[in-house]
Amino acid sequence: MKSYEVNFDGLVGPTHNYGGLSYGNVASQSNSQQSSNPKEAALQGLAKMKALMDMGFQQGVLAPQERPDVAALRRLGFSGTDAQVIERAAKEAMPLLVASCSASSMWVANAATVSPSADTADGRVHFTAANLNCKYHRSIEHPTTSRVLGAMFANQQHFAHHAALPAVAQFGDEGAANHTRFCREYGEAGVEFFVFGRSAFDNRFPAPQKYPARQTLEASQAVARLHGLRDEGVVYAQQNPDVIDQGVFHNDVIAVGNGEVLFYHEDAFLETDKMLAELQGKLAKVGGNFQSVCVPRSAVTVDDAVRSYLFNSQLLSRPDGSMLLIVPQECQANERVWTYLQSLTSAGGLIREVKVFDLKQSMQNGGGPACLRLRVALNETELAAVNPGVIMTAPLYGSLTAWVEKHYRDRLSETDLTDPQLLLECRTALDELTQILKLGAVYPFQIN
Ligand code: SUG
């Protein structure tokens, strides 16, 4: 049976703004308080989805969330009408209002961890929503994420959904941003690669000194158990704590994998040789030929990687077996990175082509091409069981661009977040979106 990697991209929400909310994420901190352009952000994301669809890749779309999250503000003690809740939060606790307005759910690589049916004990595709509990503004995403994923992958015969892990730092889980799967064919059993930043219960693992390690070993292990993965099909590796301290807040900022290939920076991991040997051995057991492409620090420094997001690229398989790298334009702007990419694609290896995208609005908050997509490997039967409303087509692209043009502002500053009218605008837009994507009622304002 045919199988595919389907990329579901997060649609940027109408409140996209630069709140400076993510300590440890260099771009988020350095662009704090700048005005954003939500309309441009959403159109840039849609243009990437359309381009990949036009290149022949399977493409889907994941809906944004209701923001400001008035229900979350109510849980923090703000009361009255919705407008009063926003006004009081603006007056008494502006950082909480800003957090409740974040459009961060657009980085759907953090929405969930997904294991394809060929890897799981019950032969279903498993999803565990990420608790994202390292940052308050992200920790409020998972209830709606679960409802949206449930509406997209509704068929219980093929899809199994798990609630987010316990919402404590010991089980900090950032979803697919720290998870990669290696395989020969998407529909065959593969090796799932979980990268953690620290251990919550075992102090033999070193931790970063400055910035938080968002993913714990124990969270990754819990996800693997929930999904029914075999020990032989799983490899755990620790991210180098020094690179976390240099701004590598997720593994997908310093490594990306696809098929049988891992593309990574020399400084990305601890005990790299042992890890590579384990990946090679385990993939061989399922008939795969593991290959790794290491980018030396002499060619690209960790700082170059953090600024350019070279590794936050999408590594895609083309029908002839070669691979294509989708990179943000910041890679072209960095001389060392661009020189490296030229040499990589002309070396005659598997990665033959680089395509550059303008994702500046998202990049300024630390979200590159790979952050914006959730990969779901599906066989033909499973793909047919996905809600067809969320699969990208030319007419859907047309409807979504028209929808963005109609509802989104082209400028948003912190003061704009205090305007209760913004909530009404967002709800009107999202109500229409659930009809376009045929999701049913998924937002708090639709179900309460
Ligand atoms: O969690 N930025 C996100 C970026 C997530 C990128 N995702 C992956 N690497 N997979 C984060 O740090 C910034 C929001 C703000 O500051 O307004 C933010 O949440």
Side-chain angles (χ1 to χ4, degrees):
M1 194 182 326
K2 264 190 150 169
S3 54
Y4 309 90
E5 173 186 275
V6 188
N7 281 280
F8 291 87
D9 275 44
L11 184 54
V12 179
T15 59
H16 160 64
N17 73 96
Y18 300 118
L21 299 170
S22 279
Y23 180 65
N25 167 344
V26 176
S28 153
Q29 290 183 268
S30 54
N31 292 305
S32 173
Q33 310 293 317
Q34 274 196 35
S35 289
S36 63
N37 184 335
K39 184 178 283 186
E40 188 177 55
L43 294 176
Q44 286 174 344
L46 280 165
K48 173 165 91 74
M49 298 184 222
K50 168 82 161 50
L52 265 66
M53 178 190 77
D54 288 345
M55 283 184 247
F57 296 105
Q58 296 285 345
Q59 182 68 53
V61 59
L62 224 151
Q65 303 209 349
E66 179 187 342
R67 295 290 181 271
D69 189 336
V70 177
L73 288 170
R74 288 185 189 281
R75 285 196 297 276
L76 297 177
F78 299 101
S79 57
T81 62
D82 288 345
Q84 284 167 341
V85 166
I86 292 169
E87 278 155 17
R88 285 178 185 160
K91 209 162 109 210
E92 296 167 28
M94 192 57 194
L96 298 184
L97 177 63
V98 175
S100 82
C101 287
S102 177
S104 54
S105 68
M106 67 177 164
W107 299 297
V108 294
N110 306 118
T113 306
V114 187
S115 294
S117 57
D119 294 351
T120 62
D122 67 0
R124 294 190 291 171
V125 182
H126 282 245
F127 299 81
T128 295
N131 62 24
L132 295 172
N133 89 323
C134 182
K135 308 283 175 213
Y136 170 69
H137 72 287
R138 302 222 60 183
S139 70
I140 57 180
E141 291 174 26
H142 70 85
T144 297
T145 301
S146 290
R147 280 193 298 274
V148 173
L149 288 174
M152 294 166 69
F153 303 94
N155 183 319
Q156 289 182 13
Q157 191 193 335
H158 296 296
F159 307 120
H161 295 275
H162 305 278
L165 297 178
V168 290
Q170 286 155 316
F171 289 105
D173 178 21
E174 300 275 319
N178 296 314
H179 174 260
T180 307
R181 176 176 184 259
F182 299 101
C183 60
R184 198 169 57 172
E185 294 287 338
Y186 294 118
E188 292 178 5
V191 176
E192 301 202 15
F193 180 47
F194 290 85
V195 181
F196 59 94
R198 69 186 175 96
S199 165
F201 293 96
D202 187 341
N203 57 16
R204 283 173 304 176
F205 294 93
Q209 301 296 306
K210 185 177 172 196
Y211 291 143
R214 298 194 194 185
Q215 180 88 29
T216 67
L217 169 62
E218 291 77 5
S220 299
Q221 290 169 328
V223 172
R225 271 192 298 271
L226 285 165
H227 291 194
L229 305 181
R230 301 164 303 121
D231 285 347
E232 276 309 290
V234 174
V235 173
Y236 298 100
Q238 185 170 7
Q239 220 185 330
N240 178 354
D242 292 346
V243 300
I244 297 180
D245 281 339
Q246 291 173 73
V248 182
F249 57 97
H250 288 138
N251 180 59
D252 70 3
V253 176
I254 197 133
V256 58
N258 171 48
E260 297 171 305
V261 179
L262 173 65
F263 178 61
Y264 71 102
H265 189 275
E266 185 177 1
D267 294 326
F269 306 103
L270 290 183
E271 301 194 79
T272 309
D273 291 342
K274 188 170 153 243
M275 170 199 98
L276 294 174
E278 193 179 350
L279 284 169
Q280 196 271 331
K282 288 188 169 171
L283 194 58
K285 286 205 178 120
V286 286
N289 172 27
F290 179 71
Q291 296 159 65
S292 57
V293 180
C294 174
V295 180
R297 69 179 82 88
S298 57
V300 172
T301 64
V302 172
D303 189 55
D304 289 327
V306 169
R307 286 174 196 281
S308 68
Y309 263 40
L310 165 63
F311 297 94
N312 202 258
S313 46
Q314 286 178 254
L315 187 56
L316 301 171
S317 296
R318 300 195 292 195
D320 67 358
S322 71
M323 290 193 186
L324 161 72
L325 207 54
I326 303 289
V327 303
Q329 67 180 18
E330 284 71 5
C331 287
Q332 208 165 15
N334 180 308
E335 209 179 302
R336 273 186 302 275
V337 168
W338 195 241
T339 305
Y340 173 80
L341 282 172
Q342 301 304 305
S343 64
L344 176 72
T345 49
S346 56
L350 261 180
I351 305 175
R352 305 262 169 81
E353 197 188 350
V354 169
K355 279 204 186 293
V356 178
F357 282 81
D358 178 3
L359 297 164
K360 187 157 182 254
Q361 285 289 325
S362 167
M363 283 289 288
Q364 292 189 144
N365 251 340
C371 300
L372 286 163
R373 60 97 171 95
L374 182 67
R375 297 188 280 190
V376 185
L378 298 168
N379 64 35
E380 255 172 335
T381 315
E382 291 155 357
L383 181 55
V386 177
N387 178 343
V390 299
I391 300 296
M392 188 55 81
T393 57
L396 179 59
Y397 171 75
S399 309
L400 290 175
T401 21
W403 173 81
V404 169
E405 294 286 358
K406 176 173 159 198
H407 293 285
Y408 280 48
R409 299 191 188 188
D410 58 11
R411 190 176 182 283
L412 212 55
S413 66
E414 195 178 276
T415 331
D416 297 321
L417 304 179
T418 65
D419 173 9
Q421 182 60 30
L422 185 63
L423 174 68
L424 298 179
E425 280 173 36
C426 292
R427 287 182 175 169
T428 305
L430 293 180
D431 214 25
E432 205 176 301
L433 182 70
T434 49
Q435 291 164 43
I436 297 173
L437 299 178
K438 303 188 172 52
L439 289 175
V442 288
Y443 296 116
F445 77 92
Q446 295 174 317
I447 51 187
N448 291 329

